[in-house]
Amino acid sequence: MSEASSAEVSGGKPTLSAPDDDPYLWLEEIEGPRALDFVEQQNGKTLQVFGGATFIQDRDELASIYDRADNIPYVSRHDDHLYNLWKDADNPRGLWRRTTLEEFRKSKPSWEVLIDVDRLAAMEGEDWLVSWTAMLPGSSQVILALSRGGSDAVTLREFNLTAKSFVPDGFVLGEAKSSAAWVDQDTLLLSSAYGEGMATLSGYARTVRLWRRGDPIEQAAVVFETTADHIGVSCRIDRTGQEKRVWFTDQLNFFNSHTWLGTESGAYIKLDLPTDIWLQPHQDWLAVKLRSAATIDRVIYPTDTLIGISLSAFLAGKRNFAVLFLASPRRALQGFFWSGGKLVLSILDELRPVFESCTPYTTTWSREPLSMLPDMGLVDVSPLDRDPSESNGDLLVRIQDPLTPPLLMLLDQGVASPAVLKEAPKTFSADGLVVTQHEAISVDGERIPYVQTGPKRETGGAPVHMSGYGGFGISVKPYYNSALGKLWLERGGTTVQAHLRGGGEFGTRWHDAGRLAGKRLSHDDFASVAADLVRRGVTQAKRIAAEGGSNGGILISNMLARYPERFGALFCTIPLIDMRRYTRLLAGASWIAEFGDPDKVEEWEWLKTYSAYHIAKPGQNYPPILIATTRRDDRVHPAHARKMVAKLQGMGYEAYLYEPDAGGHGYGRDNKEHAGFQVLGFQFLKSKIGWLDETT
């Protein structure tokens, strides 16, 4: 029986009444011959329909933008050098390189190449990409994490910055989801799923091991561990105090953890704090953001409060916290970090960026705004230095909006205003375009903000690209998007970015409203924005093309199953869709705190209401959908996309699959692949909403 006829026989299974009657389980075999044959056939069909001359032209044009020599090389500082991983047409896998700050200020800096990743991959016959690096302050030693095709799992190797080569007989670890921290020049603390019994059910590290130079990894002592049902463990080494400290984290679920203080020999003190916190130590200070309201030493602290205390006083039993930030319904803390002895707060106030700096003293904390930063658009502030112990307080500031390319600035410690380091090129014409902010009213009356970019005048039939996320407390940001700018806005289209519940724009209340059983509300929010665009006369439903990825893939699949009348076409990328089996696929178990546990009857009751794989049924007026994933995504299983396409095609719907063989939980291993993934989606969306721009 052919794959097509097999799909036809299975009809609309699985269903809500029989959720485990799944005829497509064979598609969960990532490298299974039958599954790969299905993928090859589907890729061929998709590329045949949407991969023609216009696709190639647009892909190459977008790739050339990503490969421009005058793009900003984003950097971080270690010792006296700034480090950067650079990709372009000549170096598609990248050059890992460095320069000095003085040199970086020049229009054309001189770079010292440390690793040519393309040459390394060719020499070793491996699909290598650089994933991350772990550096030892004051040393030339580095742990380099190499990923095959962009997967989260990495191979670790020791590299020497002075010799610009891998260390003979140095630290080497086989492929696994891992992280590492240097204790000293001959010792690592390794958090890794490598080895028998070392992985949790989510696929992350179950132990932290003390690994000494020259010892086999099997002999490395376990100094911290958790149970397999927790997400995993990790550690970080804090060199900002008088003595080196090690902070161990036992991640209970996505939003809760136990924090321990210790040394490289193990954890000795479990911090007496709530589990759902963000914590940042520095020198003798501790900053703690409370996700939930908490009573500490008879003092009540509201949800999302940031508090600070002397670490030594806290360890001595004192609980005289200073309140550093209080949230309000539309004002929320987005993050905080230490730099040069100061605590920098990132805040959204009615979606406007605000930054403040707090300095601790013996009896009080001072507080002041960061000067000369805009309060509109997107502003990101981060430490220049990789390790807080190396920081002198210098900050990097990145400023942009949907029509203004990024500006990279340096805010030197003690300097009143930031200095421009680099300015990204304009990659599309913004003539006649404006950015406006609006609000839709969701099904329960909540106001849902969204940002619209496009022509000043409404035509009533604008080709609209809508995007959203709505999960994990992540705030979507109005960044400068060269792909949408060049291939959508410049050609007369309009873009819309929705701030859905489930995100973090307005703090924990906003996140929790779109979490667990509330995830449906997040989807209702997105549908309400689509309806508002029609109400305002911007467009018609058949002209709305919607895109979302990962958690946003649940969103897009629910627009198909729950709100098909509000969209003309849907592009669903690297998605979760099957909410019955997601916890059994790769890292899925780590997300139970966001979605719920389908193995618990009461939680499946809400999960099944947004498991589009089970909701989808024959005979509906579903819009066309393209579902794209990558085979090397070892975070969200590619079976979600494969199975949904097979089911939809079996019911006679217009559904397409695209699955390149690499890219990880992203859109490609290099700029050309990344561009191709995006452009294929644009070609599909444009054709299905009936938009023939001037290039077609």
Side-chain angles (χ1 to χ4, degrees):
M1 182 179 289
S2 70
E3 306 299 1
S5 59
S6 172
E8 291 166 3
V9 169
S10 61
K13 296 179 180 180
T15 63
L16 291 179
S17 58
D20 298 312
D21 185 4
D22 189 347
Y24 302 114
L25 289 178
W26 53 277
L27 286 168
E28 294 180 4
E29 298 179 28
I30 296 177
E31 301 288 346
R34 185 183 176 200
L36 290 181
D37 182 60
F38 172 83
V39 170
E40 183 179 359
Q41 291 182 37
Q42 295 293 328
N43 281 348
K45 173 186 173 184
T46 300
L47 290 170
Q48 181 179 16
V49 178
F50 305 107
T54 302
F55 162 79
I56 294 173
Q57 176 183 326
D58 285 353
R59 179 202 62 193
D60 292 349
E61 184 173 22
L62 183 57
S64 69
I65 290 174
Y66 292 158
D67 287 333
R68 286 181 61 142
D70 56 349
N71 287 331
I72 295 177
Y74 291 102
V75 294
S76 61
R77 185 165 62 191
H78 166 67
D79 289 343
D80 295 326
H81 286 90
L82 306 184
Y83 289 79
N84 163 258
L85 181 64
W86 177 261
K87 295 182 179 182
D88 58 25
D90 295 329
N91 307 281
R93 294 176 185 272
L95 297 174
W96 189 44
R97 58 188 191 169
R98 67 182 180 181
T99 190
T100 63
L101 179 57
E102 180 182 4
E103 190 70 24
F104 187 71
R105 293 178 187 271
K106 299 177 181 178
S107 59
K108 294 184 178 180
S110 175
W111 293 91
E112 178 187 7
V113 175
L114 300 168
I115 294 180
D116 182 329
V117 186
D118 293 272
R119 182 180 299 173
L120 177 68
M123 184 173 60
E124 299 188 352
E126 294 282 4
D127 191 15
W128 288 138
L129 297 172
V130 172
S131 181
W132 51 264
T133 58
M135 296 180 167
L136 176 62
S139 169
S140 62
Q141 290 167 269
V142 180
I143 291 296
L144 189 72
L146 295 170
S147 162
R148 287 185 173 89
S151 63
D152 288 346
V154 293
T155 296
L156 303 186
R157 290 194 198 173
E158 185 179 359
F159 186 85
N160 186 281
L161 295 171
T162 303
K164 292 191 286 188
S165 64
F166 291 107
V167 177
D169 301 320
F171 288 105
V172 176
L173 188 73
E175 189 175 50
K177 293 185 178 181
S178 304
S179 63
W182 287 98
V183 177
D184 55 42
Q185 293 187 347
D186 295 310
T187 317
L188 291 175
L189 279 173
L190 177 72
S191 307
S192 176
Y194 182 85
E196 186 176 353
M198 293 296 173
T200 63
L201 296 175
S202 298
Y204 296 102
R206 195 184 62 77
T207 66
V208 177
R209 288 171 276 183
L210 186 66
W211 191 11
R212 301 188 187 281
R213 183 177 300 281
D215 288 348
I217 184 58
E218 293 77 14
Q219 294 181 12
V222 173
V223 296
F224 189 69
E225 62 184 310
T226 190
T227 55
D229 58 328
H230 291 182
I231 290 182
V233 295
S234 60
C235 70
R236 53 179 165 164
I237 296 178
D238 178 6
R239 294 179 167 86
T240 62
Q242 292 182 348
E243 296 181 355
K244 181 172 57 187
R245 296 184 292 252
V246 180
W247 297 89
F248 295 92
T249 301
D250 178 2
Q251 197 72 40
L252 309 178
N253 60 39
F254 209 88
F255 309 110
N256 290 268
S257 60
H258 291 310
T259 302
W260 295 71
L261 181 58
T263 69
E264 62 266 27
S265 299
Y268 303 121
I269 302 171
K270 182 180 178 182
L271 267 63
D272 179 25
L273 286 168
T275 58
D276 58 342
I277 61 172
W278 299 347
L279 181 147
Q280 290 288 352
H282 186 79
Q283 297 173 357
D284 188 41
W285 302 101
L286 202 60
V288 180
K289 189 256 187 182
L290 303 166
R291 188 177 185 279
S292 304
T295 301
I296 302 175
D297 198 24
R298 294 176 293 183
V299 177
I300 300 174
Y301 298 97
T303 298
D304 289 343
T305 300
L306 179 67
I307 54 179
I309 194 172
S310 158
L311 176 59
S312 56
F314 178 84
L315 296 176
K318 294 182 180 180
R319 296 296 182 266
N320 54 326
F321 286 96
V323 174
L324 307 179
F325 175 84
L326 282 172
S328 59
R330 309 282 280 193
R331 179 181 170 91
L333 186 66
Q334 300 297 297
F336 57 98
F337 62 86
W338 290 94
S339 179
K342 296 180 181 291
L343 184 67
V344 179
L345 313 187
S346 171
I347 301 162
L348 278 184
D349 188 344
E350 289 285 0
L351 299 180
R352 296 190 303 271
V354 176
F355 293 89
E356 296 179 351
S357 174
C358 299
T359 305
Y361 297 97
T362 304
T363 58
T364 187
W365 294 63
S366 70
R367 185 169 174 168
E368 59 184 351
L370 285 187
S371 60
M372 301 296 290
L373 297 182
D375 61 359
M376 296 298 291
L378 172 59
V379 183
D380 286 317
V381 177
S382 60
L384 173 60
D385 295 282
R386 293 175 58 94
D387 193 291
S389 66
E390 296 183 293
S391 175
N392 65 353
D394 289 349
L395 301 176
L396 288 176
V397 180
R398 186 170 62 162
I399 301 169
Q400 61 189 301
D401 66 38
L403 298 179
T404 308
L407 192 68
L408 183 66
M409 310 181 82
L410 177 66
L411 184 57
D412 294 271
Q413 183 187 35
V415 175
S417 60
V420 175
L421 288 175
K422 301 292 176 185
E423 185 173 359
K426 293 181 179 180
T427 56
F428 63 91
S429 173
D431 294 346
L433 303 179
V434 294
V435 181
T436 55
Q437 188 169 312
H438 309 271
E439 288 185 339
I441 304 301
S442 196
V443 294
D444 61 347
E446 181 65 78
R447 295 180 294 140
I448 309 302
Y450 63 95
V451 175
Q452 178 179 323
T453 306
K456 294 179 181 179
R457 295 181 181 179
E458 311 295 4
T459 64
V464 172
H465 181 282
M466 269 188 73
S467 62
Y469 186 75
F472 294 94
I474 295 172
S475 303
V476 298
K477 299 178 178 180
Y479 59 91
Y480 186 81
N481 187 316
S482 294
L484 283 173
K486 190 67 180 177
L487 304 179
W488 203 279
L489 290 173
E490 189 178 274
R491 297 178 182 181
T494 295
T495 65
V496 170
Q497 189 175 48
H499 297 281
L500 312 176
R501 281 175 288 186
E505 289 88 339
F506 301 127
T508 295
R509 75 161 187 96
W510 196 252
H511 175 208
D512 281 352
R515 187 167 71 98
L516 301 174
K519 186 63 66 176
R520 277 175 61 92
L521 278 176
S522 176
H523 306 157
D524 294 334
D525 295 348
F526 194 73
S528 74
V529 172
D532 198 59
L533 293 170
V534 176
R535 181 193 65 79
R536 290 179 44 238
V538 177
T539 190
Q540 306 168 50
K542 66 181 181 180
R543 298 280 278 175
I544 300 178
E547 177 179 348
S550 195
N551 170 79
I554 305 177
L555 168 71
I556 296 301
S557 65
N558 271 265
M559 295 306 100
L560 178 89
R562 295 184 57 219
Y563 289 100
E565 73 284 357
R566 300 196 184 181
F567 301 91
L570 301 168
F571 183 34
C572 181
T573 68
I574 49 177
L576 283 106
I577 300 178
D578 178 357
M579 303 311 291
R580 181 70 174 184
R581 290 182 56 77
Y582 86 94
T583 57
R584 305 173 195 181
L585 300 173
L586 297 175
S590 65
W591 309 318
I592 287 175
E594 177 72 16
F595 305 120
D597 187 347
D599 291 331
K600 294 180 179 178
V601 174
E602 67 277 13
E603 297 188 16
W604 172 242
E605 285 301 307
W606 75 61
L607 276 162
K608 71 182 183 183
T609 68
Y610 59 82
S611 182
Y613 185 56
H614 296 85
I615 297 171
K617 58 186 178 182
Q620 307 303 302
N621 190 26
Y622 292 161
I625 188 169
L626 168 60
I627 308 180
T629 185
T630 72
R631 198 165 310 148
R632 290 296 296 178
D633 187 351
D634 53 355
R635 196 179 313 173
V636 177
H637 201 293
H640 287 278
R642 296 173 176 182
K643 295 198 302 180
M644 188 64 174
V645 168
K647 179 178 180 178
L648 290 172
Q649 290 180 352
M651 294 187 291
Y653 293 114
E654 187 178 4
Y656 300 87
L657 176 71
Y658 178 60
E659 182 188 301
D661 62 0
H665 194 59
Y667 288 0
R669 61 165 73 85
D670 57 41
N671 289 338
K672 188 173 183 178
E673 288 185 3
H674 190 168
F677 194 105
Q678 292 178 292
V679 169
L680 189 68
F682 293 158
Q683 287 298 111
F684 164 79
L685 292 173
K686 287 181 177 183
S687 69
K688 295 307 173 183
I689 64 171
W691 183 29
L692 301 177
D693 60 51
E694 65 264 27
T695 67
T696 57

